[in-house]
Amino acid sequence: MVDITNDDIGESNRLALWEMMLKLRLVEKKAYDLFLQNLIKGTSHLALGQEAIAGAFGVSLQEGDYTFCTYRGHAHTLARGSSIEGVLGELMGRQCGLMKGKGGSMHLTDVDKGVMGSYAIIGAHLTIANGTALASKYNNTKEVSVCFFGDGTTNIGAFHEALNMAQIWKLPIVFVCENNLYMEYTPIGEVTAVENPAADRASAYNMEKIIVDGNDADEMYRTAQAAIKKARDGDGPSLIEAKTYRHSGHSRADPGKYRPDEEVKDWMENKDPITNYRKRLLEFNIDEEIISEIENKVKEQVEEATEISKASAIPDVKEIFTDVWADGGYKWHN
Amino acid sequence: MAQLTYRESVSLAIAQAMRKDPKVFFIGEDVGAAGGVFKATVGLLDEFGKDRVMDTPISEQAILGAAMGAAMAGLRPIAEIMFSDFLAVCWDIVANQIAKTRYMSDGQINIPLVIRTANGGGSKFGAQHSQSLENWSMMIPGLKVVAPSSPGDVLGLMNSAVNDPDPVIFYEHKSLYASKEELESTELSIPLGQSNILHEGSDITIIGLALMAQRAKKAAIELKEKHNINAKVIDLRTLVPLDLQSIKSAINETGLAMTVEENPRLCGWGAEISSLITEHCFNNLKGPVTRLTTPHVPLPSADILEDNTIPSVDVIVQEVIKKVKGE
């Protein structure tokens, strides 16, 4: 039961979380539909079911903060305020895409919004996120860097190199492990020496063990706020392990058959972050009409952005030859 | 006038860059307090302090990742990878991340950084601390590749590398660290993509890089003095960008070409140069392009084995004589 007399989050923050999570959910669903219509090619890794994590950080970060995400990064990109048509357009390979089709689903980047890239080789971006954090420390500015990754990342070397370096240099960074229980197709517990793949490693880097219900938007919000504040205050890095579950398979190619039906059903029906948050809003006596209004508004936004993306031109073939170098070109000899 | 070693030029070049631009910082293993395992960065910690000269753990991915991220945020990192062979443990950061992020982001992200690394053989360190790996980075779109052959070139090319808006891999040759040069000025700038003629001649063009360029020069002097053969020697200095125009002019003049490479045969940088020469200078060629490389083997350690693996001055001289005499 919630304690509505002692509300540390407040209605406006809750509605912001609600709107954010809905946007992430509905855009991912739309991405799935567009696949079925063959309007999106290549691969995609949907974050359906994991919206509370990106959502909580999205509403908690400030302009100028840096985020780094993985190939499962549509939601994290949208959470920083990137346009829906920028994301869907990139997935569809259109000119309105964030990178005009040059990166695709796994590499969404929107520097103006602090989205410093989506990284598709496991582990690399933890080390790179240290770099923006190092720059903030070097310049004595107060940005925070946040790096999202999955449970599978905790078993690659770069994870360990990055955590050690972040701690010895007391960098203003938050590492967020989204533990969705499966490393691609394999249960993470079968291939990991510890029960909590990120949190149980924290002590090795002199960090606090933080485990949070990643499907509880309020809990995620509190945890995000605390870690961001710690980084901004100059008190060093945090490592958060958020327990969650993806509703669909690992990628477009995966129907997720390796997961027990009962387990999937439990997470979909009882632990869905969005269904549960709607109930939470009502428990806090937020007017259902306001909740529904936001739902309708987001639905409209997603439909409108989908139409913009569909109408957007395909990129000029000349784009192949641009932006290898800072001079805009690709020439390698005189 | 100042006499500088190649090693001293490295620390001076870094210091010059750091004095000019507060955004430049330097990180790597044992680079600060120890002054580098090749003593090429002595004095930098004392002058610039720990905030700008950072000793790191043995974490090559974390070193280059941090450099990349800092560059993305507007700083100008110089990162050291102690031996170029160690690039293999952080090749994801180099080849997938640093090289491709500008392109994949449609130009939203710039990565102005320099990766310095000790390259090449001659020290009898064996196959994992002696490789010449310029070709690894040459084949990746998005990386610039520099390999200086003299103290002056270290100064001039580092100056350009640090100020370049793109990522540069700067291969310093271990066997050249002790080499000396009299310099009229230490304020030098050499554009990337500008080769250097180390010896003039009209009978054949020898194309080299780093230590091999210096050996080719010595060979050219001997060829002229003892064999009446005039060899032109081009030190490429940089593989990307490549000074193709100077290669073309030289080959069109001499009609014969030889590359001298310290890497194993297959896919060495000379293969690309040879291909370009055939493509652009075919009608002026008097014979096929010859490539001198190491045999296609890992580099062995013992004196006699290593010395007979890497092209020597004697081998260059003998091969040029054969080539020019049409044997």
Side-chain angles (χ1 to χ4, degrees):
Chain A
M1 280 301 291
V2 296
D3 177 6
I4 65 166
T5 58
N6 187 21
D7 182 8
D8 58 328
I9 293 178
E11 180 169 325
S12 66
N13 286 327
R14 282 215 170 76
L15 289 176
L17 272 167
W18 174 241
E19 180 171 344
M20 178 69 82
M21 289 197 296
L22 273 177
K23 181 171 73 172
L24 310 189
R25 170 68 53 96
L26 294 179
V27 173
E28 288 287 58
K29 281 189 160 177
K30 181 59 75 178
Y32 184 74
D33 293 344
L34 292 167
F35 273 128
L36 296 182
Q37 296 167 37
N38 206 26
L39 285 169
I40 293 178
K41 310 284 174 60
T43 186
S44 84
H45 304 77
L46 303 179
L48 288 169
Q50 305 184 192
E51 295 88 349
I53 303 164
F57 275 92
V59 301
S60 299
L61 288 168
Q62 296 175 5
E63 198 180 324
D65 288 339
Y66 301 108
T67 48
F68 293 77
C69 49
T70 68
Y71 50 87
R72 197 180 307 287
H74 309 164
H76 309 77
T77 301
L78 290 163
R80 294 304 310 279
S82 296
S83 74
I84 299 171
E85 60 268 27
V87 171
L88 288 178
E90 185 63 29
L91 270 55
M92 293 165 73
R94 303 298 171 107
Q95 263 187 9
C96 74
L98 289 174
M99 304 93 76
K100 297 203 211 88
K102 285 169 78 175
S105 161
M106 296 201 282
H107 299 290
L108 296 176
T109 305
D110 191 354
V111 170
D112 287 345
K113 303 288 184 187
V115 181
M116 303 306 283
S118 307
Y119 294 80
I121 311 285
I122 298 294
H125 67 309
L126 281 79
T127 71
I128 300 164
N130 274 344
T132 53
L134 177 63
S136 299
K137 192 178 174 191
Y138 187 92
N139 293 325
N140 198 24
T141 46
K142 293 292 172 189
E143 307 91 356
V144 171
S145 294
V146 177
C147 182
F148 301 96
F149 52 94
D151 42 277
T153 300
T154 64
N155 290 322
I156 204 164
F159 168 84
H160 299 272
E161 289 191 19
L163 289 181
N164 183 60
M165 194 171 271
Q167 182 66 300
I168 59 171
W169 288 346
K170 288 275 177 278
L171 297 179
I173 187 166
V174 183
F175 296 103
V176 186
C177 174
E178 302 186 15
N179 180 1
N180 63 22
L181 314 186
Y182 289 84
M183 177 216 83
E184 299 202 8
Y185 303 0
T186 303
I188 189 68
E190 287 184 11
V191 291
T192 307
V194 291
E195 184 186 350
N196 303 294
D200 289 347
R201 266 77 173 255
S203 65
Y205 303 103
N206 198 19
M207 290 187 194
E208 190 186 345
K209 177 175 180 172
I210 302 172
I211 296 176
V212 58
D213 178 352
N215 281 18
D216 183 325
D218 283 349
E219 284 305 312
M220 266 321 301
Y221 180 80
R222 292 185 185 103
T223 305
Q225 292 276 332
I228 291 167
K229 181 175 188 306
K230 182 182 174 187
R232 209 175 311 278
D233 289 349
D235 294 329
S238 300
L239 172 62
I240 295 166
E241 179 170 338
K243 305 282 191 186
T244 187
Y245 202 75
R246 55 173 150 75
H247 286 180
S248 43
H250 166 71
S251 68
R252 183 190 187 187
D254 169 30
K257 295 287 189 200
Y258 43 84
R259 304 187 302 187
D261 290 344
E262 281 307 304
E263 178 185 290
V264 177
K265 195 171 166 224
D266 183 39
W267 282 92
M268 300 278 282
E269 291 180 4
N270 303 321
K271 298 179 186 168
D272 178 59
I274 290 175
T275 312
N276 289 350
Y277 208 59
R278 199 176 200 284
K279 288 180 200 154
R280 173 86 46 85
L281 296 179
L282 293 171
E283 283 171 346
F284 274 90
N285 295 322
I286 294 175
D287 194 339
E288 184 153 20
E289 211 169 288
I290 296 175
I291 298 171
S292 302
E293 252 174 46
I294 291 174
E295 286 172 345
N296 291 333
K297 184 177 88 181
V298 174
K299 271 180 202 163
E300 270 175 37
Q301 284 172 351
V302 174
E303 289 308 320
E304 198 181 314
T306 304
E307 292 313 309
I308 293 172
S309 306
K310 282 181 178 171
S312 176
I314 56 172
D316 193 305
V317 77
K318 288 181 189 150
E319 287 294 338
I320 294 169
F321 308 104
T322 63
D323 286 320
V324 171
W325 307 120
D327 68 7
Y330 79 114
K331 224 177 141 187
W332 58 275
H333 62 69
N334 64 11
Chain B
M1 289 287 280
Q3 190 185 62
L4 275 185
T5 62
Y6 190 97
R7 163 184 288 122
E8 288 162 346
S9 293
V10 171
S11 55
L12 178 58
I14 297 170
Q16 286 174 341
M18 292 180 71
R19 285 170 200 152
K20 280 178 203 149
D21 185 352
K23 293 195 190 75
V24 178
F25 70 97
F26 178 44
I27 65 172
E29 297 158 10
D30 286 329
V31 298
V37 295
F38 295 101
K39 300 293 170 202
T41 57
V42 171
L44 294 174
L45 179 65
D46 287 344
E47 181 173 351
F48 299 103
K50 277 180 159 180
D51 289 342
R52 295 183 70 194
V53 177
M54 300 176 217
D55 281 319
T56 69
I58 300 177
S59 300
E60 280 83 8
Q61 293 184 84
I63 292 167
L64 293 191
M68 175 178 168
M72 288 162 71
L75 297 183
R76 295 248 170 191
I78 302 173
E80 175 176 314
I81 296 298
M82 191 184 284
F83 286 79
S84 62
D85 315 70
F86 305 169
L87 285 168
V89 299
C90 50
W91 199 238
D92 171 48
I93 308 293
V94 178
N96 286 322
Q97 314 302 342
I98 289 172
K100 295 180 174 62
T101 293
R102 166 164 241 290
Y103 186 82
M104 293 195 300
S105 71
D106 191 40
Q108 292 181 63
I109 289 173
N110 283 312
I111 305 175
L113 60 78
V114 177
I115 301 169
R116 289 181 47 237
T117 189
N119 192 55
S123 306
K124 325 302 180 205
F125 288 160
Q128 296 178 344
H129 288 73
S130 307
Q131 296 176 83
S132 287
L133 298 177
E134 298 94 337
N135 59 328
W136 285 16
S137 38
M138 183 191 191
M139 65 177 76
I140 311 284
L143 300 176
K144 292 182 177 173
V145 185
V146 178
S149 73
S150 67
D153 280 10
V154 167
L155 284 174
L157 292 167
M158 180 63 84
N159 187 352
S160 296
V162 174
N163 289 303
D164 198 275
D166 293 308
V168 177
I169 310 202
F170 197 91
Y171 289 95
E172 294 160 16
H173 203 292
K174 290 188 225 51
S175 293
L176 291 172
Y177 275 129
S179 64
K180 291 176 191 158
E181 187 178 5
E182 290 283 342
L183 297 169
E184 288 187 11
S185 165
T186 54
E187 294 289 329
L188 297 172
S189 181
I190 300 168
L192 305 186
Q194 187 182 91
S195 65
N196 189 25
I197 293 175
L198 297 185
H199 193 271
E200 279 293 356
S202 54
D203 294 332
I204 184 170
T205 302
I206 310 174
I207 302 167
L209 198 62
L211 179 66
M212 293 300 100
Q214 292 298 346
R215 286 193 179 170
K217 181 184 173 183
K218 282 184 188 150
I221 292 167
E222 191 178 323
L223 284 160
K224 185 169 186 175
E225 286 174 355
K226 296 185 185 166
H227 304 280
N228 199 28
I229 291 173
N230 294 307
K232 187 193 291 288
V233 175
I234 297 182
D235 174 3
L236 290 177
R237 287 178 167 155
T238 70
L239 290 175
V240 181
L242 181 72
D243 187 0
L244 178 60
Q245 296 308 320
S246 295
I247 296 172
K248 279 160 63 174
S249 313
I251 306 305
N252 288 337
E253 181 190 344
T254 62
L256 288 174
M258 176 182 288
T259 66
V260 187
E261 307 159 50
E262 205 180 314
N263 43 255
R265 172 95 191 178
L266 300 189
C267 303
W269 56 261
E272 182 58 45
I273 304 297
S274 170
S275 160
L276 287 165
I277 290 170
T278 309
E279 198 173 322
H280 292 278
C281 311
F282 188 78
N283 291 331
N284 291 318
L285 279 177
K286 295 174 191 160
V289 180
T290 298
R291 289 182 60 210
L292 281 190
T293 66
T294 72
H296 205 66
V297 297
L299 206 64
S301 173
D303 277 342
I304 187 172
L305 300 180
E306 195 197 57
D307 292 346
N308 280 283
T309 303
I310 299 172
S312 63
V313 174
D314 285 349
V315 166
I316 300 168
V317 167
Q318 293 311 314
E319 291 297 322
V320 168
I321 291 170
K322 276 197 258 175
K323 183 93 187 155
V324 172
K325 290 186 175 169
E327 288 169 8

